[in-house]
Amino acid sequence: MFDLNKEWSISFAGCGFMGIYYVGAASCIVERFPQFFEGASKIYGASAGALMAMILTIGTPLEKSCLDLMSMTRDARKHKLGPLHPAFNLQQLVRDSMTATLPADAHLRASGRLCVSLTRVSDGKNVIVSEFDTREELIQAVLCSCFIPFYCGLIPPTYRGVRYVDGAVSDNLPNCHLRNTVTFSAFAGESDVCPRSAFRLHEVRFNNVSIHVNSQNCYRVASSFFPPEPEGMAEICDNGYLDALRFLQDNGSSQIDLEFIHSLFCYCFAQNLFNLNEIVGLKTRWGMYNATDCNPFTLNLVCVPALCEGCREKHARGSMLSQVRERVHGNMASYLRIPYALPMDSALMLVNRVADWIPELPRGPGWLYGTAGRRHSPAESGEQGDPLT
């Protein structure tokens, strides 16, 4: 049982693209028991868990985080090699998202309360950082915690001049051993908020995270690196919402019919109800048929718009026959393009990443074409040809 009379902390485990699970869980708790996050003395996180810890500490809107994550998922899936394609730069996408959403005083809000798990490259030791002098330092710390070696690149980012990699490499669930620390994990295990598993063959611990060995967790591990279809992401988010509701129920903070919510989520996606007004109307209509005499049912309106937007793009392609034709032709064309397109994409992304490593260079490859054009243009370089006589 969770004791509100004592000081408590929260810890999020790393889980890659399964971080959409945390969005669903957090939206449920923010909706029904906001004091849980507001009153926590420390919020720890590793990798994707560090992102969620930062979002909750600073107060970034969860709907914006859900939209950004669905956008990253869409970018990852549009390439034939998925996230392993050289054109997919996860670190840059995460940086762009934080740069666009973090307020100017984000480092002041986070210092002393947000604790980010890092792994130092030089000795492999775990380091917990919680003080940030500038907004850029906060961004760099989270980027270091999210850097998976080889998956995200070859050269790790730096925080205060020291290179770090994913905090999950050394401690994937920071301070989970403390008595009043509430743990979140996207994998079924012994964490306080996590999926429930009907059976398990064995239990393993990956850097402090309890993981049951079963087929469902194997799927979740694969989804951490290779995100599923939008409907799969929506289901993961839905499961996070329901598991957080169970946690609140177990601690006496919420009374609601979980099966009723799950059936409504499934109905919305099965009927292709991707319009928010339709969903709100459905919620109102179905609320009268709630058999339990508990608190009024409220649908998770934080995540549904972003999830439905991602699903709408997939279902707006036309009839089933046209989708099959498009998939067959598209796959054949993409496979034929790989032998010559992949080296070109790799070279282009190498130029982009070299430009990122050298701060003096402008971002993107456009500067290269511009420089070449200026060198070969007499008018722009100030050279005048001899007039005809």
Side-chain angles (χ1 to χ4, degrees):
M1 293 292 292
F2 176 63
D3 190 355
L4 284 174
N5 297 320
K6 299 180 181 179
E7 184 179 274
W8 71 90
S9 300
I10 302 169
S11 184
F12 290 91
C15 59
F17 285 102
M18 284 288 293
I20 195 72
Y21 178 89
Y22 294 150
V23 176
S27 63
C28 171
I29 296 177
V30 167
E31 174 187 300
R32 300 180 179 280
F33 187 41
Q35 299 86 349
F36 176 73
F37 292 129
E38 296 170 359
S41 59
K42 303 279 187 181
I43 303 182
Y44 297 85
S47 192
L51 273 172
M52 180 51 60
M54 180 197 66
I55 289 167
L56 294 172
T57 304
I58 295 173
T60 303
L62 288 172
E63 56 269 25
K64 180 64 171 64
S65 304
C66 188
L67 281 170
D68 288 347
L69 187 51
M70 292 296 287
S71 176
M72 294 178 195
T73 300
R74 184 168 59 252
D75 289 344
R77 291 188 58 85
K78 72 181 182 181
H79 301 292
K80 179 53 59 180
L81 300 179
L84 300 181
H85 195 280
F88 180 74
N89 191 342
L90 181 59
Q91 285 271 293
Q92 190 61 54
L93 292 175
V94 174
R95 170 180 278 279
D96 291 344
S97 174
M98 290 191 290
T99 302
T101 57
L102 292 185
D105 63 341
H107 59 289
L108 301 178
R109 302 186 195 181
S111 291
R113 191 158 176 257
L114 171 64
C115 301
V116 180
S117 174
L118 307 175
T119 302
R120 192 162 49 213
V121 173
S122 58
D123 56 6
K125 299 292 184 181
N126 182 259
V127 177
I128 303 292
V129 298
S130 59
E131 298 295 332
F132 314 98
D133 295 335
T134 63
R135 178 172 174 266
E136 179 60 25
E137 270 196 5
L138 172 61
I139 293 175
Q140 284 299 122
V142 176
L143 284 175
C144 288
S145 186
C146 294
F147 184 87
I148 305 173
F150 302 107
Y151 182 83
C152 293
L154 297 177
I155 301 181
T158 61
Y159 171 74
R160 294 184 175 178
V162 181
R163 296 199 180 276
Y164 296 93
V165 295
D166 198 330
V169 175
S170 54
D171 190 354
N172 199 24
L173 196 59
N175 277 25
C176 62
H177 59 278
L178 296 182
R179 183 175 182 82
N180 220 29
T181 296
V182 180
T183 55
F184 285 71
S185 174
F187 309 106
E190 303 302 322
S191 300
D192 297 308
V193 180
C194 67
R196 293 188 176 182
S197 55
F199 69 96
R200 58 175 177 174
L201 300 174
H202 187 61
E203 179 189 357
V204 297
R205 285 195 170 269
F206 173 70
N207 294 333
N208 291 332
V209 177
S210 169
I211 301 178
H212 293 166
V213 178
N214 54 39
S215 58
Q216 292 178 330
N217 268 345
C218 290
Y219 169 77
R220 295 183 183 109
V221 171
S223 299
S224 300
F225 298 97
F226 301 93
E229 294 278 356
E231 286 87 349
M233 296 290 285
E235 183 180 0
I236 295 170
C237 185
D238 176 25
N239 291 336
Y241 191 92
L242 296 176
D243 292 333
L245 269 177
R246 292 191 183 95
F247 171 76
L248 295 179
Q249 277 188 327
D250 293 341
N251 290 274
S253 300
S254 179
Q255 295 292 327
I256 200 161
D257 185 0
L258 301 180
E259 294 301 327
F260 177 73
I261 295 180
H262 183 66
S263 63
L264 182 53
F265 267 102
C266 294
Y267 181 84
C268 289
F269 286 101
Q271 299 299 320
N272 295 338
L273 294 179
F274 301 131
N275 183 279
L276 182 58
N277 293 327
E278 293 178 351
I279 296 176
V280 174
L282 185 67
K283 171 196 114 171
T284 304
R285 189 170 76 249
W286 279 36
M288 296 184 298
Y289 298 100
N290 191 351
T292 60
D293 247 345
C294 51
N295 294 336
F297 158 69
T298 56
L299 185 63
N300 177 15
L301 296 181
V302 172
C303 301
V304 164
L307 300 175
C308 289
E309 182 66 27
C311 294
R312 184 190 296 115
E313 293 183 2
K314 178 185 175 183
H315 286 270
R317 298 176 183 174
S319 64
M320 180 66 69
L321 180 60
S322 64
Q323 290 185 36
V324 172
R325 187 185 301 113
E326 177 185 356
R327 179 174 294 273
V328 172
H329 292 172
N331 284 344
M332 291 177 61
S334 61
Y335 280 122
L336 292 174
R337 286 196 301 266
I338 284 179
Y340 67 89
L342 188 59
M344 296 174 61
D345 290 338
S346 301
L348 180 60
M349 292 312 300
L350 180 60
V351 172
N352 277 332
R353 299 198 183 195
V354 169
D356 290 336
W357 296 332
I358 305 176
E360 290 77 12
L361 289 179
R363 184 179 163 190
W367 63 272
L368 186 60
Y369 303 114
T371 302
R374 287 192 296 271
R375 288 186 180 276
H376 292 282
S377 175
E380 292 185 11
S381 61
E383 300 176 2
Q384 300 293 333
D386 295 333
L388 295 176
T389 56

